[in-house]
Amino acid sequence: MKTSILRNTVVLIITLLLVSFVSDKNNSEFTKKPRNIIFLIGDGMGITQLYAGMTRNHGKLFIEEITHVGLQKTYSADSYITDSAASGTAMASGTKTNNGVIGQDTTGAAVKSILEYAEDNGLATGLISTSAITHATPASFIAHVENRGLYEDIAADFLKIEIDVFIGGGADHFMHRKDSVDLVEVLKGKGYSVLFDMEQITRVEKGKLAGFTADVHNPPYLQGRNDMLPEATRTALNILSKNRDGFFLMVEGSQIDWGGHGNDTEYIISEMLDFDRAIKEALDFAMNDKNTLVVITADHETGGMSLIGGDFKSGEVTANYGSTGHTGVMVPVYSYGPGAEEFTGIYENTDLFEKFMKVYGFKKDRE
Ligand code: MG
Ligand code: ZN
């Protein structure tokens, strides 16, 4: 009798231990909230551009490692069809504004971006782009100007906060300015390593980095940009992850959009595959780190691209285009990591900012 009670007790304890071990395993794959967010924007990357790249790559892309998908509405405050300034501002700051406006609402008041909130909350921050770093998409996360064409004013806004890493084109907007102020000297004075060569940029492992890879825009991948985007992503992740409190990094594949404007299928596909290699860097980091949320989306679709033929074996794609501009269609949001489930459903582009704030656990300055 006594031994059977003892045996039952032992069995019960082992069972309880097993149950708690198993449930613990289930809960601990990801922490509840991410320490880091990597936000990747494929400019002009509708689902067709993505599938064209997937077809060329024989039916597979790195982005397929993501676990959750949602859809976002891209229209701006003054247009059914957004531009990259209004959509960038919407995603960065949660405010619908007019086309052409960077980091301001429709009254001209500055709106605070998720990158600026991250900075204020002690996180490390970074921006990467295959266009000029002063172009509309990256600018929306750091600048506040009434017109996206004010590149030199946008460059000056990079000096107003303590961004840790930025890599992209646009050196001219910092160095060859109408006001003849050399912002590179100002950056150096603030402790940045300012480098103009990708080889040197990739060797930086800590500290603040301003990496200028072109006078204005980087060349297309097909014209010799090489692996600038995935290498810049890896370099930034290595530097930013040294901050124990976490980081926010935005990575833009800018030129999928330019291929779309040109109705140039080979331009679109090559930029799409390059962006997918940057996505791989982000997902590899997140899978290893387990405290990192990866969110991938577009600011809008470009070209009204449709696929009227393709072959997974040869990788051949036949496309038609309905426009040489942007289109009004919703674009997918792909996510992976702690908080990824927040990004499912159908919502406004401005909700991306709200979701970032929620998963980070940041408080707004004002309602
Ligand atoms: Mg862009
Ligand atoms: Zn465009």
Side-chain angles (χ1 to χ4, degrees):
M1 190 63 181
K2 261 187 186 158
T3 52
S4 94
I5 287 174
L6 186 65
R7 193 184 304 123
N8 285 344
T9 310
V10 167
V11 167
L12 181 68
I13 287 168
I14 288 171
T15 308
L16 283 172
L17 280 172
L18 272 174
V19 165
S20 81
F21 176 72
V22 168
S23 64
D24 201 51
K25 264 210 85 141
N26 284 339
N27 290 335
S28 69
E29 192 195 350
F30 295 127
T31 49
K32 288 219 169 59
K33 75 186 198 69
R35 187 168 54 214
N36 316 311
I37 295 178
I38 310 170
F39 186 33
L40 298 107
I41 302 174
D43 199 314
M45 182 185 73
I47 202 163
T48 321
Q49 286 77 2
L50 187 99
Y51 201 63
M54 198 181 282
T55 305
R56 173 60 50 86
N57 205 38
H58 311 292
K60 201 77 192 153
L61 286 178
F62 294 119
I63 195 175
E64 289 176 67
E65 296 291 333
I66 62 95
T67 52
H68 296 74
V69 181
L71 289 166
Q72 55 137 323
K73 303 174 190 179
T74 65
Y75 67 91
S76 68
D78 66 345
S79 176
Y80 182 73
I81 295 174
T82 192
D83 83 322
S84 295
S87 55
T89 299
M91 296 189 286
S93 303
T95 305
K96 293 257 187 194
T97 195
N98 297 332
N99 283 5
V101 177
I102 302 278
Q104 295 181 347
D105 65 16
T106 53
T107 73
V111 287
K112 188 169 174 176
S113 77
I114 187 64
L115 184 142
E116 291 168 316
Y117 272 105
E119 197 65 53
D120 285 354
N121 280 273
L123 276 65
T125 54
L127 291 174
I128 296 173
S129 176
T130 52
S131 61
I133 201 70
T134 44
H135 208 239
T137 311
S140 299
F141 289 80
I142 197 164
H144 306 279
V145 294
E146 67 271 22
N147 189 297
R148 57 182 287 171
L150 298 168
Y151 294 116
E152 296 181 3
D153 294 338
I154 291 168
D157 278 358
F158 276 73
L159 280 303
K160 289 183 182 158
I161 72 163
E162 302 299 315
I163 183 170
D164 295 86
V165 177
F166 60 95
I167 305 170
D172 277 355
H173 306 142
F174 287 78
M175 300 169 75
H176 302 120
R177 302 163 53 84
K178 283 188 216 90
D179 63 8
S180 21
V181 176
D182 187 352
L183 293 182
V184 163
E185 288 309 311
V186 184
L187 283 166
K188 284 178 181 167
K190 288 187 80 175
Y192 285 85
S193 303
V194 184
L195 300 170
F196 298 87
D197 173 75
M198 204 52 211
E199 181 100 23
Q200 288 176 17
I201 289 167
T202 55
R203 269 189 250 128
V204 178
E205 298 200 324
K206 58 178 168 29
K208 292 165 99 177
L209 169 64
F212 293 107
T213 52
D215 292 339
V216 183
H217 300 307
N218 293 284
Y221 184 80
L222 289 176
Q223 289 170 31
R225 194 172 70 238
N226 300 317
D227 289 328
M228 174 259 162
L229 187 63
E231 282 177 6
T233 305
R234 195 184 320 132
T235 301
L237 288 173
N238 188 30
I239 298 170
L240 297 175
S241 60
K242 300 215 160 80
N243 182 8
R244 294 181 57 113
D245 292 329
F247 64 79
F248 174 83
L249 173 65
M250 194 289 294
V251 177
E252 186 201 17
S254 321
Q255 300 193 26
I256 302 166
D257 176 64
W258 302 352
H261 284 289
N263 290 181
D264 183 336
T265 306
E266 291 306 310
Y267 194 176
I268 291 169
I269 288 175
S270 54
E271 293 296 330
M272 183 63 237
L273 293 177
D274 175 64
F275 186 56
D276 189 52
R277 287 188 287 271
I279 290 170
K280 180 189 192 302
E281 294 294 334
L283 288 172
D284 282 355
F285 177 89
M287 281 173 199
N288 187 42
D289 176 71
K290 302 206 191 308
N291 285 305
T292 302
L293 169 66
V294 178
V295 177
I296 307 153
T297 190
D299 48 356
H300 51 73
E301 195 273 348
T302 306
M305 187 186 194
S306 62
L307 299 182
I308 54 165
D311 187 294
F312 291 120
K313 221 170 163 193
S314 66
E316 185 191 317
V317 172
T318 312
N320 260 352
Y321 296 88
S323 169
T324 54
H326 302 168
T327 66
V329 70
M330 292 192 290
V331 291
V333 181
Y334 313 87
S335 55
Y336 173 90
E341 63 284 350
E342 292 285 337
F343 293 81
T344 59
I346 299 175
Y347 46 86
E348 299 289 342
N349 53 5
T350 48
D351 288 329
L352 283 161
F353 165 80
E354 305 292 342
K355 292 171 190 297
F356 291 147
M357 291 290 284
K358 183 182 171 190
V359 297
Y360 267 140
F362 292 166
K363 287 208 169 59
K364 281 188 199 169
D365 290 352
R366 55 183 161 74
E367 270 308 319

